[in-house]
Amino acid sequence: MKIYVCVDMEGIAGIVLPSQLRQGESFYQEGRRLMTEEVNAVVDGLLEAGATEIIVRDMHATGFNLLIDQLHPGASYFMGTSSIQDRFPGIDSSFHGAILLGYHAMAGTKQAVRDHTFSSMTFIGMELNGQPIGEIGIDSLLLGLHHVPVLLVTGDDKTCQEAEQILTHTTTYQTKTAWGRHSALLKSPRKVNIEIKEAVKQALFNHAPCVPYSSPGPYELKVQYMSTDLADSVQTDGIHQIRLDGLTIVYKDTNLVSLFSKAL
């Protein structure tokens, strides 16, 4: 059984502050350690559940956050950046499923830890064909293009709620209860690392109803930018890229990868 693990940082147990998430900040090394330990617990759980090949993709910021010398030897790790066209290096239809580990709620979610969609400095929010969408939905759609279903999503309570709304048969595991953008009622990371192994096993055991996430085209992606100058930087043609107002641009395409490549 082959499993692809996409790991972000904001939803990892014990992480709640900006200084845990950014290179050069005072608690960044702590954030890296917490992220690495949770990844190792997931790899342990996958191996115990019968996984034969595991790829872990560091999705946060530069894609270089995991502590390399402390990583579990039972998986391979992709670190560094890649384009939307190649967001999940090494993936193909031979993978049985994917895990979205340490994810966060979409931009604009009330009382969620570090809610954003790709960049809290660039985007206020996005809608795909009239429905709000964040990184959980976008990554699930891109994985679905490879015929890979999402088996497990982890993060704060708002993250789990978002996943359950769009991925009806996917298992979720809550690492903390969000109290605000930079506050949460935390579980002990040690407890999470024990429990998340069991969540992984449950997700693999219950994988049969999970199907690749998909959305029929053609597509319209409405993007609301943080400032007018960011929207000004986009070249619009009035057909495939349409300026609605000072902050909002609609992107149109029949291909999802092309659509997201234009906007992200």
Side-chain angles (χ1 to χ4, degrees):
M1 181 179 290
K2 298 171 68 173
I3 303 294
Y4 205 99
V5 181
C6 313
V7 55
D8 209 341
M9 208 169 185
E10 288 85 357
I12 295 294
I15 288 184
V16 73
L17 298 176
S19 56
Q20 293 174 296
L21 297 163
R22 299 171 182 162
Q23 289 187 14
E25 296 283 351
S26 55
F27 290 107
Y28 176 60
Q29 285 302 114
E30 177 186 68
R32 297 182 74 192
R33 176 180 58 80
L34 292 169
M35 184 183 186
T36 301
E37 289 174 354
E38 198 164 308
V39 165
N40 288 344
V42 167
V43 173
D44 253 343
L46 286 170
L47 292 172
E48 290 177 12
T52 55
E53 184 176 341
I54 304 164
I55 293 180
V56 178
R57 164 76 158 103
D58 186 337
M59 307 290 290
H60 181 70
T62 61
F64 202 87
N65 305 281
L66 295 166
L67 297 171
I68 298 174
D69 62 337
Q70 297 179 29
L71 288 170
H72 196 299
S76 299
Y77 301 87
F78 183 88
M79 301 182 71
T81 58
S82 65
S83 65
I84 286 291
Q85 294 95 321
D86 194 25
R87 186 156 170 80
F88 308 110
I91 202 166
D92 57 36
S93 60
S94 67
F95 279 79
H96 293 78
I99 292 173
L100 306 186
L101 178 68
Y103 269 56
H104 52 81
M106 70 175 72
T109 303
K110 184 181 178 181
Q111 262 187 327
V113 174
R114 296 295 296 176
D115 62 289
H116 66 280
T117 301
F118 285 94
S119 171
S120 56
M121 302 297 291
T122 305
F123 306 114
I124 295 174
M126 299 182 190
E127 292 181 3
L128 180 65
N129 290 354
Q131 296 298 316
I133 193 167
E135 291 174 42
I136 295 170
I138 291 172
D139 284 347
S140 296
L141 284 171
L142 292 174
L143 288 162
L145 295 177
H146 299 280
H147 309 289
V148 177
V150 174
L151 307 182
L152 173 67
V153 179
T154 77
D156 70 15
D157 56 317
K158 307 305 187 301
T159 301
C160 294
Q161 291 168 15
E162 183 178 323
E164 289 163 2
Q165 288 174 359
I166 61 174
L167 306 170
T168 52
H169 296 291
T170 296
T171 301
T172 59
Y173 174 77
Q174 182 180 324
T175 58
K176 51 197 154 191
T177 301
W179 223 255
R181 186 163 176 79
H182 298 127
S183 58
L185 183 63
L186 301 175
K187 291 182 182 178
S188 161
R190 290 185 182 182
K191 180 179 181 180
V192 167
N193 290 340
I194 293 170
E195 292 181 349
I196 208 164
K197 287 177 62 175
E198 299 308 311
V200 165
K201 294 175 186 177
Q202 178 186 350
L204 265 62
F205 181 77
N206 296 330
H207 79 278
C210 295
V211 296
Y213 187 50
S214 63
S215 177
Y219 304 102
E220 288 191 2
L221 183 68
K222 183 187 291 186
V223 178
Q224 191 172 21
Y225 290 86
M226 290 292 295
S227 62
T228 52
D229 61 326
L230 289 168
D232 288 344
S233 67
V234 178
Q235 292 186 351
T236 56
D237 58 13
I239 301 173
H240 300 103
Q241 284 144 233
I242 304 166
R243 185 81 172 259
L244 294 186
D245 55 37
L247 298 176
T248 310
I249 293 175
V250 172
Y251 297 83
K252 296 186 177 185
D253 209 308
T254 57
N255 181 284
L256 271 176
V257 174
S258 174
L259 180 79
F260 292 132
S261 297
K262 292 173 182 176
L264 301 176

